[in-house]
Amino acid sequence: MSTTINLAAIRTRYEMAVEDAEKQRTADVQEALAAGATQKEIADATGYTRETVRRIANPEAAEAIRSARRAAKRPVGSEEKGV
């Protein structure tokens, strides 16, 4: 049973590390933008795509786009059926 607990802890630590890294990346990119760097400059310097930099720069707009895409993929009438 202790093996299961240890394995679960490994996953938890990993997920926490990824979340922390993403928060730091977001802060760094937003700091660069605030300092006057363009999204293209950040993409070129970091190796991220311009789309990734855009999503980091404006997460609300990125979520709105994702929501609209998900809604567009739903079959017609799915809202009524709970699909």
Side-chain angles (χ1 to χ4, degrees):
M1 195 58 132
S2 65
T3 303
T4 303
I5 293 169
N6 292 338
L7 295 176
I10 291 169
R11 172 117 184 160
T12 299
R13 282 193 306 270
Y14 169 78
E15 289 172 351
M16 289 172 57
V18 169
E19 185 177 330
D20 289 345
E22 287 175 347
K23 286 178 183 177
Q24 185 62 54
R25 176 184 72 172
T26 297
D28 292 344
V29 167
Q30 290 178 342
E31 182 180 342
L33 289 165
T38 67
Q39 290 181 10
K40 183 176 182 335
E41 289 170 335
I42 294 168
D44 290 346
T46 62
Y48 301 139
T49 64
R50 288 191 335 189
E51 177 64 17
T52 295
V53 174
R54 185 190 62 75
R55 283 194 312 263
I56 293 169
N58 194 344
E60 295 83 14
E63 181 55 36
I65 290 169
R66 280 191 297 272
S67 294
R69 287 179 181 160
R70 283 192 298 266
K73 289 182 181 179
R74 284 189 213 126
V76 173
S78 65
E79 304 83 25
E80 299 164 5
K81 298 177 186 175
V83 177

